[in-house]
Amino acid sequence: MASNLSIICFAFIGRRSTVTIKANAAITAAQLSRVFENSGIHRPVDDVARIDRMIHNANILYTAWADDELIGVARGFSDQSYCCYLSDLAVIKQYQRQGIGRQLIATIHQDLGPNISLVLLAAPSAMTYYPKLGFQSVPTAFKQQRDY
């Protein structure tokens, strides 16, 4: 990844706050579980060892912070040459609809460069969200479902 830190300011309803987007910041399994639990995304939040592996085995990890509080995460894998799979995009509910998810993805895309495709699987509830960020729906994808 090209950048280590980008600072983005967002105006939140009823107050002014600064959100900082960081690449490769150290986070704990407890912090990531808290974001997942409070965002609405379905992940194995009670399996601390698995969440820890999710953090340490990804080579793309961008986080959003309000002061010292982790409020959002974008996590994935990239060959740094052709494609990047985004496996998680989560922002805690009180900070949703403020552009933080959009900024996390935009920062990843900017850092990776224009020759790298971003690919993801969307939850049914997010099918209208990703087209707003410039993603195109593709009918040519396949998956073998995990045992959760």
Side-chain angles (χ1 to χ4, degrees), residues 4-10 12 17-25 27 61-74 95 100 103-104 107:
N4 290 324
L5 176 67
S6 300
I7 298 177
I8 316 314
C9 294
F10 294 92
F12 291 104
S17 184
T18 300
V19 172
T20 305
I21 306 294
K22 298 180 182 180
N24 301 316
I27 62 172
L61 181 65
Y62 282 67
T63 51
W65 301 81
D67 299 318
D68 294 331
E69 179 187 8
L70 179 64
I71 61 166
V73 65
Y95 290 94
I100 296 169
Q103 190 59 51
L104 283 163
T107 305

Side-chain angles (χ1 to χ4, degrees), residues 29-43:
Q31 287 174 305
L32 183 56
S33 289
R34 181 183 169 278
V35 170
F36 287 160
E37 283 182 295
N38 292 296
S39 69
I41 195 171
H42 184 66
R43 295 294 183 270

Side-chain angles (χ1 to χ4, degrees), residues 1-139:
M1 277 169 266
S3 79
N4 290 324
L5 176 67
S6 300
I7 298 177
I8 316 314
C9 294
F10 294 92
F12 291 104
I13 297 170
R15 68 187 202 273
R16 180 108 176 117
S17 184
T18 300
V19 172
T20 305
I21 306 294
K22 298 180 182 180
N24 301 316
I27 62 172
T28 66
Q31 287 174 305
L32 183 56
S33 289
R34 181 183 169 278
V35 170
F36 287 160
E37 283 182 295
N38 292 296
S39 69
I41 195 171
H42 184 66
R43 295 294 183 270
V45 296
D46 294 327
D47 189 342
V48 176
R50 190 171 182 189
I51 295 290
D52 193 59
R53 287 191 309 273
M54 290 168 69
I55 294 167
H56 291 97
N57 291 322
N59 70 346
I60 300 290
L61 181 65
Y62 282 67
T63 51
W65 301 81
D67 299 318
D68 294 331
E69 179 187 8
L70 179 64
I71 61 166
V73 65
R75 187 185 70 85
F77 312 88
S78 179
D79 60 12
Q80 306 288 317
S81 179
Y82 189 74
C83 70
C84 173
Y85 173 71
L86 295 176
S87 54
D88 300 313
L89 177 65
V91 176
I92 64 174
K93 287 181 182 176
Q94 78 182 76
Y95 290 94
Q96 289 178 2
R97 301 184 189 276
Q98 305 296 322
I100 296 169
R102 176 185 297 273
Q103 190 59 51
L104 283 163
I105 288 176
T107 305
I108 289 170
H109 202 196
Q110 177 184 329
D111 287 356
L112 291 174
N115 294 327
I116 297 178
S117 295
L118 299 181
V119 179
L120 59 85
L121 296 174
S125 61
M127 291 301 291
T128 59
Y129 175 70
Y130 290 105
K132 295 175 188 174
L133 304 184
F135 284 84
Q136 300 170 343
S137 179
V138 295

